[in-house]
Amino acid sequence: MRATSIIFKRELGAYLRSPIGWVVAAVLLLVDGILFQTQAMGDKHLSADVLRAFFIYSSVVVGIAAIALSIRLVAEERQTGSIVLLNTSPVRDVEVALGKFLAALAFLAIMIAMTFYMPLLIKINGKVSWAHVAVGYLGLILFGAASLSIGLFASALARHQLVAAVVGAALLASMGQLFPLADKLDAPLKGALGQLDVWWIHFQQGFASGIVNVKDIVYYLALTYFFMLLTVKTLEAKRWQ
Amino acid sequence: MIRVENLSKYYGGTRALGPVSFEIADGETVGFLGLNGAGKTTALRILACDLRPSAGSVSVDGIDAVASPHEVRKRIGFLPENPPVYADMTVRDYLRFAGSLRGMKRADLDKRMPEVLALTHLEDRQDHAITTLSHGFRQRVGVAQAIIHAPKLLILDEPTRGLDPVQIVEMRSLIRDLKQNHTVLISSHILPEISQTCDRLLVLGYGALIGSGTEAELSAAEAAAPRTEAEVAAEIRQIVVAIQPVTARAAVTAVLSKLDGVSAVAEPIEQAGALTFTLSCNRDIRAAVSRAIVNGGWDLVRLDYVHGELENTFIRLVSGGTDARN
């Protein structure tokens, strides 16, 4: 896994050196702050409700940021031709995928951490538990990781970043609409499809409300693993074409 | 060191390369010569383990490239047509990254870095972001990443592509320096580039290997089919054409065809204000040709005996090939 560490450092450095990282971070914090002010604190009276609304709005912004951060990871390398260096080096595709994913996750986690002043304001001026704050952030990280893996998979599929963005956003948005879609169906499909939803069941009804369910954690880890596996298999297939 | 047997590559139903077989010994500098689309890049990408062959085998130091690609990759440095650089990194950081990927330890990198920067003349640019470098310097960075881990085999795909004349001369000089420590494979469709830097040539045409050997060997092969080129002044041609345009051109051809030793006269080509006739012959008959032209009343402006020139060999080889890929 030495190569993973090398690639992790390069990719994290790339986010810090290039405008994309700073632009995404600035937009995330700006939009999150505006949503916090205008929506989360709108007509809510209970501070726990305000905190829950903050995590719900933040998760949407985190999902968009995750796609924006991940689409460049492989597609950009194909566009510029730098992927040849990785392809002709003695590194495994799983190391490449993991290094890139962890770098994007680290950067996303830093951005998420920078929103902490908002829950802190609620805590100071209201009555919420630290546990609720911690669970909400755990949910944001897990949801962000799953979204990143989807974006990374889209990036591995596409040659152009725009295509990767469209595919990644479409996948994430579709998976976030499985619960409303399942609601229109009959059992047993209703239950199964609903549980596959990436946001409503596992985040909105779980982490955002300060509730930790093992099944929610397992779901996000499994989803991330699944799309990482797809990414590795896609890289393997394209490397030796 | 490198053994290639019946190597082929298909893109869908289209054959891009092969089957080709050749061997390259340690320390050789071999040029892949061919027109655009001849299969040079495909061959080099397969040798660099960037592309999986459809059929056949490639082994480097006895290691099968398909079965153990990582082992082969450790032994290879590859510069593709476009240098695989990260524009946001500085030259030094990028080379450190490239070396680390190839398994180099920090101490080895610290030791190797000054050597590579000096060899590629990048000392003054080592702290510059690659995005600020010109195409020529980026190409040097591309070479530097290919040699940072001191590979035995260095593969350079069109290394002078897009460079200006001064940069081309500098790149040739760099390649000559690299020959001392590496087995080098270079591809190009520009003959002088190959002939000035390589010990041996592999000529590709339509995906097939249509010629192989040293420059002297290929030129010797050319000697088996010598030709005399005679150029007749355009002014005379124009006078003749004014009177009898068809028979004048035919008249010169007829006169040349009757000369002793001439086996064939190709269709004349109008070029640079003159008609060029190419005669196939088995010996130097320039004296007879000049007498025939002058006695015929035409002006002779050029007379060459073409014997063993590499460029003619290349043109003959590639124009003689047939596209059997489809």
Side-chain angles (χ1 to χ4, degrees):
Chain A
M1 284 291 140
R2 182 171 174 269
T4 298
S5 163
I6 295 163
I7 292 166
F8 169 82
K9 286 177 194 162
R10 198 221 89 75
E11 293 298 337
L12 191 57
Y15 283 125
L16 298 173
R17 281 189 298 269
S18 63
I20 180 73
W22 295 107
V23 168
V24 172
V27 170
L28 179 139
L29 290 172
L30 177 69
V31 175
D32 223 10
I34 291 171
L35 287 173
F36 178 70
Q37 186 68 33
T38 60
Q39 303 297 319
M41 290 179 58
D43 54 357
K44 310 272 186 324
H45 299 293
L46 293 174
S47 49
D49 289 342
V50 175
L51 185 60
R52 180 172 180 272
F54 160 74
F55 283 123
I56 287 173
Y57 288 117
S58 288
S59 66
V60 176
V61 181
V62 163
I64 295 169
I67 295 296
L69 288 176
S70 56
I71 52 166
R72 56 163 286 278
L73 288 171
V74 182
E76 185 184 44
E77 296 229 27
R78 287 214 181 89
Q79 275 182 292
T80 61
S82 58
I83 200 162
V84 174
L85 177 64
L86 297 177
N87 285 347
T88 56
S89 295
V91 294
R92 293 181 296 156
D93 296 294
V94 65
E95 294 174 311
V96 173
L98 210 52
K100 287 175 175 290
F101 170 76
L102 291 176
L105 184 59
F107 192 75
L108 187 68
I110 293 169
M111 290 197 305
I112 290 172
M114 289 169 79
T115 65
F116 182 68
Y117 73 93
M118 288 179 271
L120 190 63
L121 284 174
I122 302 171
K123 175 71 180 170
I124 290 169
N125 296 297
K127 199 172 181 182
V128 291
S129 68
W130 282 119
H132 189 172
V133 175
V135 168
Y137 272 109
L138 174 66
L140 282 181
I141 295 290
L142 288 171
F143 174 71
S147 304
L148 280 174
S149 69
I150 291 171
L152 180 56
F153 169 60
S155 185
L157 279 177
R159 177 168 285 273
H160 299 287
Q161 293 186 65
L162 187 61
V163 177
V166 171
V167 172
L171 266 173
L172 185 61
S174 302
M175 291 197 67
Q177 289 300 307
L178 290 179
F179 178 71
L181 182 67
D183 208 32
K184 309 284 182 195
L185 302 172
D186 297 325
L189 206 57
K190 179 177 183 172
L193 202 61
Q195 287 300 319
L196 286 176
D197 187 283
V198 77
W199 189 78
W200 290 90
I201 298 283
H202 304 287
F203 188 85
Q204 196 242 22
Q205 294 177 14
F207 292 109
S209 305
I211 302 165
V212 182
N213 284 312
V214 175
K215 73 175 178 65
D216 295 335
I217 296 174
V218 170
Y219 167 81
Y220 279 123
L221 293 179
L223 189 68
T224 304
Y225 176 79
F226 175 71
F227 277 102
M228 286 301 290
L229 190 66
L230 288 182
T231 301
V232 172
K233 293 299 171 192
T234 305
L235 289 177
E236 283 176 358
K238 286 184 177 275
R239 186 178 195 172
W240 266 116
Q241 266 187 356
Chain B
M1 180 194 178
I2 303 171
R3 183 189 295 271
V4 172
E5 290 178 346
N6 298 317
L7 188 68
S8 296
K9 179 65 186 177
Y10 288 82
Y11 292 107
T14 305
R15 189 174 69 188
L17 180 71
V20 296
S21 301
F22 55 85
E23 287 185 18
I24 295 168
D26 280 337
E28 266 195 302
T29 299
V30 176
F32 281 73
L33 186 62
L35 301 177
N36 291 328
K40 307 183 296 295
T41 295
T42 300
L44 293 189
R45 285 185 66 195
I46 292 172
L47 289 171
C49 293
D50 188 31
L51 207 57
R52 185 197 288 271
S54 304
S57 66
V58 177
S59 68
V60 177
D61 281 350
I63 301 166
D64 189 292
V66 176
S68 308
H70 282 349
E71 284 305 309
V72 173
R73 284 173 182 138
K74 287 177 187 171
R75 292 164 167 77
I76 288 175
F78 179 45
L79 172 67
E81 282 183 73
N82 297 312
V85 294
Y86 293 97
D88 59 290
M89 299 178 92
T90 64
V91 172
R92 172 177 279 275
D93 287 346
Y94 171 69
L95 294 180
R96 191 169 283 281
F97 172 69
S100 301
L101 279 180
R102 272 74 170 260
M104 293 182 78
K105 294 190 169 63
R106 180 185 288 268
D108 296 333
L109 271 167
D110 289 341
K111 187 180 171 191
R112 177 71 173 156
M113 187 71 74
E115 296 171 11
V116 171
L117 289 171
L119 193 62
T120 50
H121 300 294
L122 285 167
E123 298 106 317
D124 296 340
R125 300 289 197 282
Q126 59 179 294
D127 294 319
H128 289 216
I130 294 173
T131 189
T132 64
L133 300 182
S134 66
H135 179 71
F137 275 107
R138 284 186 187 213
Q139 200 77 350
R140 285 179 176 278
V141 175
V143 173
Q145 65 79 26
I147 62 173
I148 185 74
H149 55 304
K152 287 184 71 175
L153 174 61
L154 186 57
I155 300 174
L156 309 174
D157 191 3
E158 310 245 8
T160 59
R161 182 169 173 259
L163 300 183
D164 64 38
V166 174
Q167 291 169 333
I168 287 174
V169 171
E170 289 173 351
M171 182 59 75
R172 281 182 192 150
S173 169
L174 173 59
I175 292 168
R176 284 193 200 98
D177 291 339
L178 295 172
K179 285 169 64 174
Q180 296 165 15
N181 298 310
H182 306 272
T183 301
V184 185
L185 305 187
I186 304 171
S187 80
S188 180
H189 60 275
I190 302 167
L191 186 59
E193 182 182 315
I194 292 283
S195 61
Q196 288 178 33
T197 50
C198 296
D199 306 326
R200 190 158 67 91
L201 306 177
L202 297 173
V203 186
L204 291 170
Y206 301 113
L209 189 62
I210 54 178
S212 172
T214 63
E215 185 177 351
E217 287 168 349
L218 289 170
S219 295
E222 176 68 9
R227 295 181 300 277
T228 299
E229 287 186 0
E231 204 165 86
V232 181
E235 191 177 0
I236 298 302
R237 175 182 63 80
Q238 286 166 353
I239 291 171
V240 173
V241 168
I243 302 167
Q244 289 178 305
V246 179
T247 53
R249 180 180 284 232
V252 178
T253 304
V255 167
L256 294 173
S257 301
K258 288 175 185 169
L259 294 174
D260 188 31
V262 173
S263 56
V265 179
E267 185 68 21
I269 300 166
E270 192 173 338
Q271 192 177 41
L275 275 178
T276 300
F277 295 82
T278 301
L279 318 179
S280 295
C281 50
N282 55 10
R283 61 181 188 276
D284 186 358
I285 54 166
R286 279 178 290 183
V289 169
S290 65
R291 276 196 302 274
I293 294 293
V294 172
N295 291 340
W298 302 293
D299 282 349
L300 184 63
V301 295
R302 186 168 68 89
L303 187 60
D304 291 326
Y305 183 54
V306 184
H307 182 99
E309 286 183 12
L310 187 59
E311 191 143 1
N312 288 297
T313 307
F314 175 47
I315 293 167
R316 184 172 57 80
L317 285 169
V318 296
S319 61
T322 55
D323 191 349
R325 292 176 297 180
N326 297 316

PDB file of all heavy atoms in Angstrom, chain B residues 111-125:
ATOM      1  N   LYS B 111      19.737  10.934  -4.214  1.00  0.00           N
ATOM      2  CA  LYS B 111      21.006  10.725  -4.912  1.00  0.00           C
ATOM      3  C   LYS B 111      20.833  10.851  -6.435  1.00  0.00           C
ATOM      4  O   LYS B 111      21.687  11.417  -7.126  1.00  0.00           O
ATOM      5  CB  LYS B 111      21.541   9.324  -4.566  1.00  0.00           C
ATOM      6  CG  LYS B 111      22.934   9.051  -5.089  1.00  0.00           C
ATOM      7  CD  LYS B 111      23.356   7.652  -4.707  1.00  0.00           C
ATOM      8  CE  LYS B 111      24.659   7.293  -5.427  1.00  0.00           C
ATOM      9  NZ  LYS B 111      24.961   5.875  -5.299  1.00  0.00           N
ATOM     10  N   ARG B 112      19.734  10.325  -6.919  1.00  0.00           N
ATOM     11  CA  ARG B 112      19.506  10.267  -8.363  1.00  0.00           C
ATOM     12  C   ARG B 112      19.053  11.615  -8.935  1.00  0.00           C
ATOM     13  O   ARG B 112      19.352  11.936 -10.087  1.00  0.00           O
ATOM     14  CB  ARG B 112      18.447   9.183  -8.632  1.00  0.00           C
ATOM     15  CG  ARG B 112      18.015   9.028 -10.079  1.00  0.00           C
ATOM     16  CD  ARG B 112      19.072   8.415 -10.947  1.00  0.00           C
ATOM     17  NE  ARG B 112      18.572   8.134 -12.280  1.00  0.00           N
ATOM     18  CZ  ARG B 112      19.328   8.040 -13.355  1.00  0.00           C
ATOM     19  NH1 ARG B 112      20.641   8.183 -13.264  1.00  0.00           N
ATOM     20  NH2 ARG B 112      18.799   7.782 -14.537  1.00  0.00           N
ATOM     21  N   MET B 113      18.310  12.379  -8.158  1.00  0.00           N
ATOM     22  CA  MET B 113      17.687  13.608  -8.659  1.00  0.00           C
ATOM     23  C   MET B 113      18.694  14.565  -9.327  1.00  0.00           C
ATOM     24  O   MET B 113      18.452  15.007 -10.464  1.00  0.00           O
ATOM     25  CB  MET B 113      16.954  14.313  -7.517  1.00  0.00           C
ATOM     26  CG  MET B 113      16.125  15.509  -7.932  1.00  0.00           C
ATOM     27  SD  MET B 113      14.647  15.072  -8.859  1.00  0.00           S
ATOM     28  CE  MET B 113      13.617  14.426  -7.555  1.00  0.00           C
ATOM     29  N   PRO B 114      19.806  14.895  -8.669  1.00  0.00           N
ATOM     30  CA  PRO B 114      20.748  15.837  -9.322  1.00  0.00           C
ATOM     31  C   PRO B 114      21.290  15.309 -10.644  1.00  0.00           C
ATOM     32  O   PRO B 114      21.494  16.079 -11.589  1.00  0.00           O
ATOM     33  CB  PRO B 114      21.872  15.988  -8.287  1.00  0.00           C
ATOM     34  CG  PRO B 114      21.298  15.535  -6.994  1.00  0.00           C
ATOM     35  CD  PRO B 114      20.281  14.501  -7.335  1.00  0.00           C
ATOM     36  N   GLU B 115      21.511  13.992 -10.711  1.00  0.00           N
ATOM     37  CA  GLU B 115      22.031  13.389 -11.952  1.00  0.00           C
ATOM     38  C   GLU B 115      21.032  13.585 -13.097  1.00  0.00           C
ATOM     39  O   GLU B 115      21.411  13.996 -14.204  1.00  0.00           O
ATOM     40  CB  GLU B 115      22.262  11.885 -11.760  1.00  0.00           C
ATOM     41  CG  GLU B 115      23.313  11.528 -10.734  1.00  0.00           C
ATOM     42  CD  GLU B 115      23.336  10.032 -10.424  1.00  0.00           C
ATOM     43  OE1 GLU B 115      22.689   9.244 -11.157  1.00  0.00           O
ATOM     44  OE2 GLU B 115      23.989   9.662  -9.442  1.00  0.00           O
ATOM     45  N   VAL B 116      19.772  13.295 -12.796  1.00  0.00           N
ATOM     46  CA  VAL B 116      18.742  13.386 -13.840  1.00  0.00           C
ATOM     47  C   VAL B 116      18.511  14.840 -14.252  1.00  0.00           C
ATOM     48  O   VAL B 116      18.385  15.149 -15.443  1.00  0.00           O
ATOM     49  CB  VAL B 116      17.423  12.745 -13.346  1.00  0.00           C
ATOM     50  CG1 VAL B 116      16.281  13.013 -14.314  1.00  0.00           C
ATOM     51  CG2 VAL B 116      17.611  11.245 -13.172  1.00  0.00           C
ATOM     52  N   LEU B 117      18.470  15.729 -13.272  1.00  0.00           N
ATOM     53  CA  LEU B 117      18.266  17.152 -13.588  1.00  0.00           C
ATOM     54  C   LEU B 117      19.415  17.681 -14.440  1.00  0.00           C
ATOM     55  O   LEU B 117      19.202  18.466 -15.367  1.00  0.00           O
ATOM     56  CB  LEU B 117      18.152  17.968 -12.292  1.00  0.00           C
ATOM     57  CG  LEU B 117      16.865  17.761 -11.477  1.00  0.00           C
ATOM     58  CD1 LEU B 117      16.966  18.457 -10.127  1.00  0.00           C
ATOM     59  CD2 LEU B 117      15.650  18.268 -12.239  1.00  0.00           C
ATOM     60  N   ALA B 118      20.637  17.217 -14.136  1.00  0.00           N
ATOM     61  CA  ALA B 118      21.799  17.672 -14.917  1.00  0.00           C
ATOM     62  C   ALA B 118      21.752  17.096 -16.326  1.00  0.00           C
ATOM     63  O   ALA B 118      22.002  17.804 -17.309  1.00  0.00           O
ATOM     64  CB  ALA B 118      23.082  17.242 -14.208  1.00  0.00           C
ATOM     65  N   LEU B 119      21.417  15.820 -16.421  1.00  0.00           N
ATOM     66  CA  LEU B 119      21.382  15.148 -17.726  1.00  0.00           C
ATOM     67  C   LEU B 119      20.357  15.786 -18.665  1.00  0.00           C
ATOM     68  O   LEU B 119      20.590  15.918 -19.867  1.00  0.00           O
ATOM     69  CB  LEU B 119      21.068  13.659 -17.521  1.00  0.00           C
ATOM     70  CG  LEU B 119      21.273  12.728 -18.702  1.00  0.00           C
ATOM     71  CD1 LEU B 119      22.738  12.719 -19.131  1.00  0.00           C
ATOM     72  CD2 LEU B 119      20.841  11.306 -18.343  1.00  0.00           C
ATOM     73  N   THR B 120      19.225  16.181 -18.090  1.00  0.00           N
ATOM     74  CA  THR B 120      18.154  16.757 -18.919  1.00  0.00           C
ATOM     75  C   THR B 120      18.188  18.297 -18.923  1.00  0.00           C
ATOM     76  O   THR B 120      17.279  18.932 -19.461  1.00  0.00           O
ATOM     77  CB  THR B 120      16.773  16.289 -18.405  1.00  0.00           C
ATOM     78  OG1 THR B 120      16.699  16.513 -16.992  1.00  0.00           O
ATOM     79  CG2 THR B 120      16.565  14.817 -18.674  1.00  0.00           C
ATOM     80  N   HIS B 121      19.226  18.850 -18.306  1.00  0.00           N
ATOM     81  CA  HIS B 121      19.402  20.309 -18.255  1.00  0.00           C
ATOM     82  C   HIS B 121      18.167  21.005 -17.671  1.00  0.00           C
ATOM     83  O   HIS B 121      17.667  21.985 -18.224  1.00  0.00           O
ATOM     84  CB  HIS B 121      19.709  20.867 -19.650  1.00  0.00           C
ATOM     85  CG  HIS B 121      20.954  20.288 -20.238  1.00  0.00           C
ATOM     86  ND1 HIS B 121      22.210  20.506 -19.720  1.00  0.00           N
ATOM     87  CD2 HIS B 121      21.125  19.443 -21.275  1.00  0.00           C
ATOM     88  CE1 HIS B 121      23.109  19.841 -20.430  1.00  0.00           C
ATOM     89  NE2 HIS B 121      22.483  19.185 -21.373  1.00  0.00           N
ATOM     90  N   LEU B 122      17.712  20.480 -16.555  1.00  0.00           N
ATOM     91  CA  LEU B 122      16.536  21.064 -15.903  1.00  0.00           C
ATOM     92  C   LEU B 122      16.869  21.672 -14.540  1.00  0.00           C
ATOM     93  O   LEU B 122      15.957  22.009 -13.778  1.00  0.00           O
ATOM     94  CB  LEU B 122      15.454  19.975 -15.716  1.00  0.00           C
ATOM     95  CG  LEU B 122      14.688  19.543 -16.956  1.00  0.00           C
ATOM     96  CD1 LEU B 122      13.897  18.272 -16.688  1.00  0.00           C
ATOM     97  CD2 LEU B 122      13.753  20.644 -17.435  1.00  0.00           C
ATOM     98  N   GLU B 123      18.161  21.802 -14.256  1.00  0.00           N
ATOM     99  CA  GLU B 123      18.542  22.311 -12.915  1.00  0.00           C
ATOM    100  C   GLU B 123      17.883  23.656 -12.626  1.00  0.00           C
ATOM    101  O   GLU B 123      17.371  23.886 -11.529  1.00  0.00           O
ATOM    102  CB  GLU B 123      20.056  22.466 -12.796  1.00  0.00           C
ATOM    103  CG  GLU B 123      20.834  21.173 -12.937  1.00  0.00           C
ATOM    104  CD  GLU B 123      21.518  21.102 -14.281  1.00  0.00           C
ATOM    105  OE1 GLU B 123      20.870  21.470 -15.286  1.00  0.00           O
ATOM    106  OE2 GLU B 123      22.678  20.672 -14.339  1.00  0.00           O
ATOM    107  N   ASP B 124      17.880  24.534 -13.633  1.00  0.00           N
ATOM    108  CA  ASP B 124      17.343  25.879 -13.411  1.00  0.00           C
ATOM    109  C   ASP B 124      15.820  25.901 -13.313  1.00  0.00           C
ATOM    110  O   ASP B 124      15.233  26.902 -12.909  1.00  0.00           O
ATOM    111  CB  ASP B 124      17.758  26.815 -14.566  1.00  0.00           C
ATOM    112  CG  ASP B 124      19.269  26.982 -14.612  1.00  0.00           C
ATOM    113  OD1 ASP B 124      19.923  26.710 -13.588  1.00  0.00           O
ATOM    114  OD2 ASP B 124      19.784  27.376 -15.681  1.00  0.00           O
ATOM    115  N   ARG B 125      15.196  24.815 -13.741  1.00  0.00           N
ATOM    116  CA  ARG B 125      13.724  24.793 -13.758  1.00  0.00           C
ATOM    117  C   ARG B 125      13.145  23.874 -12.685  1.00  0.00           C
ATOM    118  O   ARG B 125      11.937  23.692 -12.640  1.00  0.00           O
ATOM    119  CB  ARG B 125      13.222  24.298 -15.135  1.00  0.00           C
ATOM    120  CG  ARG B 125      13.646  25.153 -16.315  1.00  0.00           C
ATOM    121  CD  ARG B 125      12.908  26.479 -16.301  1.00  0.00           C
ATOM    122  NE  ARG B 125      12.947  27.194 -17.560  1.00  0.00           N
ATOM    123  CZ  ARG B 125      13.979  27.898 -18.002  1.00  0.00           C
ATOM    124  NH1 ARG B 125      15.085  27.948 -17.285  1.00  0.00           N
ATOM    125  NH2 ARG B 125      13.916  28.543 -19.148  1.00  0.00           N
TER     126      ARG B 125
END
